[in-house]
Structures are given as structure tokens and as C-alpha cells.
Amino acid sequence: MYRPNGNLVRSFVRRSFCTVADGNLDTSKVQIFDRHLKRKQRDRAAWLLNRKDSLVNTVADNLVDRLEDVKKTFPSALCLGGSLEAIRRSVGGRGGIEKLIMMDSSYDMVKLCKDAEKDLSSDNIETSFMVADEEFLPVKESSVDLVISCLGLHWTNDLPGAMIQSRLALKPDGLFLAAIFGGETLKELRIACTIAHMEREGGVSPRISPLAQVRDAGNLLTRAGFTLPGVDVDEYQVRYNSALELIEHLRAMGETNALVNRVKFLKKDTALAAAAVYESMFAAEDGTIPATFQVIYMTGWREHESQQKAKRRGSATVSFKDIQKEFGVTAAAVDNLTGSLCSTCTPLCSSPPSTAKPPPSPPAVTFKPLPSPPAVPSRPPPSPKPVHKAPPPPRFYYFDSPLDVVPPPPTYISSGGSGNNHGPPSPRFVYFPSTQPAGGGGPGGFGQNSYPYPYPYYMYDSKAASWSA
């Protein structure tokens, strides 16, 4: 664009994208998974991928099959990272898709899907490919009619944020379909790894990523702003010849460990112990080991005025009590009407009313009570044994001062009970037991209130350095 004076002016067109461009698009604030490592694992899975994988193909077919339950067509669709090639083969002519965008964070995976496109050119779907991250969608708002994600969103650090961006990418009344692994996935492997780590290393390290529970899926759809949310669960059990074959299958799927706080090296003895525990605890009679895969299917729509909506809370005009009373009266009236018709109106009944007398009731059968068993003479309860309690340990007092241990040497004891430690020690000291009555005093004229002391006491002779009772 040029001005009249010939100066070049750059014109920028403001475009609204799903990802908020705040200048910080490196990673999510929540760091659970290493996205760079996951991209490498996806690159490796592109070379190990088995196109006849029954688990992946079944999940993709079940996810795309939900398009058959909707009468609406979706001309443009976006397929996020995951089982891209399986989704591309399952789409076929379902959903009226005319334009399909295949997106993945792995370049090798996108290239694999592009190379396989020549075998699917007969369905007349315009397919484009894009390398991008699911956490930051480079898609314009309200640009597609359908968003599909098959076994890919459970590796995102911010799953609610990724779902919100998917909703923004949809047009009004657009459909969101996703399949993620649930919390019960690989529960057998989780138990085996925990036991092996506790036995070999004395602790537990994270080997399997945290997965969403079924109860969280509906909350995620509602939090992301989808309307008419739907969640259903399927569990698949796959059998392997050994635990090592299971690990190889997970590598081919790109589902190996990518936690940030993972232990980067696995000891050989720990791995062998985990395989042995797995086979000993979960092996079948034929020698195979099972692995459980729980898949959560989520369905949500972007809001539109044509969708059915719930009434506002408190807008009801009829009480449930009134409905109950109304239906109760109606049911009683119907019962009375039916009884009168059956007894009087012969054409409305399948057979005329019978005039025969009802058969007599059978005679009552009386049962004699069984004789009570003979009384067993009760033995008298044993007499309680006398309980001998040990006497409490003696406590000694020296002029109202408690002593729990043997008294100190005479040089440290107050003379005459006056509390003066500077004078010479008295030749004799009196120690009274803990049963001494309160108020001071003691036997033999000690203290102001002298009286006969009925309990034994002890005398200490400093010259002889001995005690006497």
C-alpha cells in the first residue's frame, strides 16, 4: 500500500486465532509432560507404526462412528495429533467431510500420513497437513465444523486449555469429538512396576503418566464451555505373550513415559523383576498376560441458538406436589373405571365374566411345634482370681522435700531442715515416706507440730554413713 508521497506503508490485518498471542508461547505453566521428548517418541512411533493395530483401529472406528448418529454434515474438519492415519482411514465418507486438516507435533508422523494419502484418493476429501502443537493451535477462530482428537490430548500439559482452543476453532454449532486413555489404563503394569521398585530400589518412581478419571471428563467439557456434553467409556483388554511385547506395543503407539520428573534410567534387574511380577500376578492359563486399556469418549458442541437449552433455575410454574396429587387421582380413577368395565361390559373384555363359584380353599394345615431341646445345666461362673497389686515405689521426704532417688551425700543436705547449706552437716538426718501427713512435723519432735508418727521412717548417720529404720 502506497501513500501519495510514495512512502511504503505496511498494513497489518488483525486475525483472531485460538491461541492468545501474549508473547509467551513456549510451554504451559503446568509442567507435567516433556513435550519435546514426546515429539521424539512420536517420530520413533512413525517408523514402528503397525497399520493393522487392532486397538488403535477399533478406537478410531468407534470415535468416527459417532458421526453416523448426527444428521448434520461437517464440510471442514480438523484432526489433532494422535492416531492420525487410523482416523484418516476411518473417515471415508462419514459426516459429509469435504476438507480435512491433519495436524501433529511430529514431522515424521505427518509425513507418514501424507505418504499414505495416495492410497485414499478415491474418497474425494481435500486433505492438508500441518506440523503444530496441540497446546497452541494455529487455527483461526470459528473456522472448522468438526474437531477430532484420537488418543492424543492426554499428553498435553494443559488439557482444559487445549479443549478451550478446540472450542474456539469450531464454528457455532460445531462438534468436538475426542478419545483419551482413562485412569484404569495399564493398571496391571502400574502394580507390577510399583512392587518391583519397592523390592529392588526401596522406593517408587513414576513410570506411568497420570490419566483423567471418568468423573473428570464431564467437568472438563463443561469447563471448556461445550454445550450438550456427553461422556462414555469402553474398556479393551489386549493379551500379549510377555511383558516385553507390551512395552514394544506402547513404543509403536508412541505411548511411552514422558513425565518431567521421571527417572531417566531403568535398571536391568528392576525391569526383569517387573516383568516377573506381571506374569506371576496376572498371567492367564494359556501363558498370555492381559493389559487393560480404558478409553474415554467425549462429545461436545459449541453453543448455538438452535440448540435445546435448560430452563432458568426457579422458572418452574408447577409444583411437584401438585403433579403427584394430580397423577394419584388419575390413577385411582382409571383403576375404578377398568374394574367397572370388566364386570359389566362384556364386549370390551376378552371373555364374558364367569358365573361359576370360585373353588373352595384348601384346608388349613397346622404344624406341631418341635419339642424344645433339653436344658443344659449351666456351670457357675468361675470365681475371680485375687488380683495382687504391687505396692507403689517408696518416696522419701526430707522435711517436706520430695526425693525420688537416693539422697545426696551429707555435705549437700541442709542442716536441721533450715535450708542453710553453708553450715556443717548435722550428724543425723530423718527421711519420711510419702505417707507422711500434710502440714509438716514428724516423729521425735521434728517441726513445730510434733506428734507420734505411725509410719516407719529412716535415720541417716553421717559418721557411720549408713541408714537405719
Side-chain angles (χ1 to χ4, degrees), residues 344-355:
T344 60
C345 186
T346 304
L348 296 180
C349 299
S350 58
S351 61
S354 176
T355 58

Side-chain angles (χ1 to χ4, degrees), residues 117-134:
E117 183 65 22
K118 58 184 179 180
D119 300 333
L120 304 171
S121 58
S122 59
D123 52 7
N124 297 326
I125 296 179
E126 180 185 353
T127 308
S128 57
F129 303 89
M130 179 171 50
V131 178
D133 197 339
E134 297 93 335

Side-chain angles (χ1 to χ4, degrees), residues 186-203:
L186 299 178
K187 57 183 179 181
E188 300 88 355
L189 182 61
R190 194 187 304 268
I191 295 174
C193 289
T194 301
I195 296 176
H197 274 278
M198 290 291 295
E199 179 185 356
R200 298 294 178 176
E201 302 180 12

Side-chain angles (χ1 to χ4, degrees), residues 225-430:
F226 289 103
T227 59
L228 307 177
V231 178
D232 56 302
V233 184
D234 282 342
E235 283 194 3
Y236 306 95
Q237 194 172 76
V238 185
R239 296 191 174 274
Y240 302 90
N241 295 326
S242 63
L244 300 180
E245 185 177 353
L246 168 61
I247 301 301
E248 292 297 328
H249 184 204
L250 295 177
R251 286 183 179 179
M253 294 171 60
E255 298 292 337
T256 48
N257 189 8
L259 291 171
V260 174
N261 297 327
R262 69 191 183 280
V263 178
K264 298 183 179 180
F265 300 98
L266 178 62
K267 297 181 180 179
K268 182 179 179 180
D269 56 344
T270 304
L272 295 178
V277 171
Y278 199 124
E279 295 179 1
S280 62
M281 294 183 63
F282 304 103
E285 296 180 356
D286 56 355
T288 60
I289 59 172
T292 303
F293 293 90
Q294 184 187 51
V295 181
I296 302 176
Y297 298 94
M298 297 184 292
T299 305
W301 297 80
R302 185 167 183 179
E303 63 278 359
H304 190 260
E305 57 184 7
S306 63
Q307 298 173 356
Q308 58 269 33
K309 298 179 182 179
K311 293 290 185 180
R312 182 177 55 86
R313 183 183 294 273
S315 60
T317 57
V318 180
S319 174
F320 278 106
K321 294 183 179 179
D322 299 338
I323 297 176
Q324 184 179 4
K325 292 179 181 179
E326 179 181 357
F327 278 93
V329 173
T330 305
V334 169
D335 292 339
N336 295 334
L337 181 61
T338 305
S340 61
L341 288 176
C342 290
S343 60
T344 60
C345 186
T346 304
L348 296 180
C349 299
S350 58
S351 61
S354 176
T355 58
K357 296 182 180 180
S361 59
V365 180
T366 58
F367 296 93
K368 296 181 179 180
L370 297 176
S372 59
V376 179
S378 59
R379 298 180 180 179
S383 59
K385 296 181 180 180
V387 180
H388 302 281
K389 296 184 178 180
R395 288 175 58 91
F396 299 95
Y397 283 79
Y398 168 67
F399 297 109
D400 302 331
S401 301
L403 296 176
D404 292 329
V405 295
V406 178
T411 55
Y412 293 95
I413 303 179
S414 303
S415 59
S418 61
N420 182 14
N421 293 325
H422 301 287
S426 300
R428 300 175 70 84
F429 301 93
V430 182

Side-chain angles (χ1 to χ4, degrees), residues 209-225:
S209 64
L211 299 171
Q213 300 294 331
V214 179
R215 60 180 178 271
D216 301 329
N219 298 334
L220 288 171
L221 289 170
T222 306
R223 180 180 176 183

